[in-house]
Every structure is written in structure tokens, then in C-alpha cells.
Amino acid sequence: MLYVAAVFWMFVIVLSASGVYFLWAGMVRSRIVNIVLLPGTLAAQLGHVIGMLVTGGTVEGTSLMSEDESASPKQSTSAKSRIPVVGPLIVGVLPILTCAGGIVLSTMLLGGVTVNDLVAGQVLQKVPVGVPAFWDLLRSLIDLMEQMLNVAVQAGGANWRVWLFMYLLICLTVRMAPLPGNLRGALAAIASFGVIAFVAGLVFAPTQNYIERSWNMLSLTVITLLLLLVISALIRGAVALGRVILNRPGTEPRRHSLKDRK
């Protein structure tokens, strides 16, 4: 059940990160969003490059920022891994792992707050089954989001190290979202690695211990992205509601006249 829960929460991470980026890009110009997320882009692209190299592929056309108006990161779509089946899975998962490694490195170098400080508890190590279990999970996630926000604000103050760590945490977690067109591949890679980890756990007993040790990091990533998703959705909803109340142009679909139809 632990492996199923790990895959489930990895799905939540990837989908939540994609949702946060989508909401931000809908409120602010994509160029600004991509520039702000540059540290996370560096970690994700580094994982992609390492994945291509270790699987025998070539790295072409990969950049942190494109030359167009969006300034979005670019990855080559023609380069292929030379290791069948497993190679694409490694390339799909490594960007997520390098972003997680960046969070660990930021915690070690900047200090101030630790993973255990920000996550007072852990997300459940089992998938909720049934309506009561779903609501229990939702309540526990809300409590964890509240605890994390309180700890971050209290530990921040005038401590620039904490705020820098929080900035890097946001960049690294949001950049766990796959680039457009890679979402299905990333989800398939996560599911496949879950199966591989389960099989490895049957043969190599410490595999489960490694997953349990990394659960705090998994919890931190989940809580951070869910908190960002909730805050972003509230802001975007408030802006849209304000436009409706003020009757600003653009709140209603344009009505085509007969001349337009002709």
C-alpha cells in the first residue's frame, strides 16, 4: 500500500504543479512567470540533461529560456534515449528528482527552517478509500497547510535566509510540472517506477525504508503545492469576481452582429 500511496501523491504533485503554473500564467504574463521560476527551471532542465546523457541520448535544443515572448524553457523533441522502455522513464522522472534534490540542498545551505519544521505531520501513507476517508484526508491537508504557513511567517521576519529558502522551495516545486506535451509521459513514468519500486522491495528489503525516509520531503512538496494552488485559485477567483461586480469589459462573451456573421 505504501508504493500505491507514493505513486498517488506523486500524481498529486505533478498535477498540482501544472495547475499552479496554469493559474499564474493566466494572471501574469508567461514571460514574467518563467523568469521568476528560473532557479526551478535550472534544476528541472539539469535533470532532463542528466537523464538524456545516462541513457545514451543526445542533448539538442535544450535551453532555460526560449527566444519568443513566453521565455519558456525548451527541450528537444527529436532526441531519443538509446535504452528502450526504461530510458524514457528515467528521463521523465529525473527532473522531478533533481528539483527535490534542490530542496534538500537549499535546506542544508540556508538553514533557518527544516523540512520537519514546515511539515508538522505527514500526508497519509495510504490512498483514501470511501467518502469518510476522503474528508478526513482533506481536513488533515488543510491543517498541514495552515501549520506550514504559520511556521514560514513566524520563522521569516527579518531572516533573509528563510525567505530565500521559501522562494527556492516555490520555484522548485512548481517546476516539477512537466513541460507542455510531456504530462502523460511523466505520469506514465511515475506509475512505472512505482511498479519497479514494488518489485525491488520484494527482492531488496531496504527499498521500503528508503521510501519511508523520504516521506517528509514528499509531504513538504505536496503541502507546498496544494497551498500555492489554493491561494492562486482564490486570487484568480477574486479578480474575476471583481471584474464581474465592476462590470468591466471582457467579463461577458462578445455578441456577434449580423455584419460579423457575414
Side-chain angles (χ1 to χ4, degrees):
M1 195 64 179
L2 178 66
Y3 300 99
V4 176
V7 171
F8 171 78
W9 288 117
M10 288 299 296
F11 281 175
V12 172
I13 288 173
V14 170
L15 295 175
S16 298
S18 301
V20 171
Y21 181 82
F22 174 79
L23 289 173
W24 287 5
M27 294 185 289
V28 186
R29 291 174 58 188
S30 298
R31 183 178 187 85
I32 297 176
V33 175
N34 289 320
I35 291 175
V36 170
L37 296 177
L38 200 55
T41 305
L42 177 60
Q45 294 290 65
L46 178 62
H48 173 75
V49 171
I50 293 175
M52 292 299 300
L53 293 178
V54 299
T55 57
T58 57
V59 181
E60 298 177 355
T62 300
S63 63
L64 295 178
M65 298 174 61
S66 61
E67 297 179 357
D68 57 18
E69 183 63 24
S70 67
S72 59
K74 291 179 60 179
Q75 293 178 354
S76 175
T77 57
S78 59
K80 302 295 183 182
S81 169
R82 294 184 180 179
I83 302 178
V85 184
V86 178
L89 301 181
I90 295 175
V91 176
V93 168
L94 264 181
I96 300 176
L97 298 181
T98 50
C99 287
I103 297 174
V104 175
L105 185 62
S106 301
T107 305
M108 295 172 57
L109 296 178
L110 296 175
V113 290
T114 64
V115 174
N116 292 333
D117 292 332
L118 292 172
V119 184
Q122 295 182 341
V123 294
L124 297 180
Q125 295 185 3
K126 59 182 180 180
V127 179
V129 179
V131 176
F134 169 78
W135 287 112
D136 289 340
L137 174 63
L138 192 59
R139 280 188 288 267
S140 65
L141 290 175
I142 293 174
D143 291 338
L144 288 174
M145 286 189 283
E146 179 185 6
Q147 177 67 23
M148 177 182 175
L149 187 60
N150 290 337
V151 171
V153 172
Q154 293 173 5
N159 191 343
W160 63 270
R161 290 178 177 269
V162 175
W163 294 115
L164 179 58
F165 168 72
M166 297 303 298
Y167 166 69
L168 293 176
L169 176 63
I170 292 172
C171 292
L172 291 166
T173 52
V174 174
R175 271 306 178 203
M176 289 183 178
L179 293 181
N182 296 340
L183 179 58
R184 292 182 180 179
L187 295 178
I190 292 171
S192 300
F193 266 97
V195 175
I196 294 173
F198 173 73
V199 175
L202 297 177
V203 179
F204 187 61
T207 301
Q208 183 170 339
N209 294 332
Y210 293 146
I211 296 178
E212 291 176 348
R213 290 177 185 176
S214 63
W215 209 265
N216 274 349
M217 178 60 63
L218 181 68
S219 300
L220 174 64
T221 307
V222 170
I223 299 306
T224 301
L225 285 171
L226 289 180
L227 181 60
L228 291 174
L229 187 63
V230 170
I231 294 175
S232 303
L234 289 175
I235 294 175
R236 185 164 183 179
V239 171
L241 181 60
R243 289 177 177 174
V244 172
I245 294 175
L246 297 176
N247 197 22
R248 291 286 183 86
T251 58
E252 295 182 358
R254 182 174 179 266
R255 297 179 180 178
H256 297 281
S257 62
L258 292 177
K259 293 182 179 180
D260 295 334
R261 296 176 182 176
K262 292 179 181 180

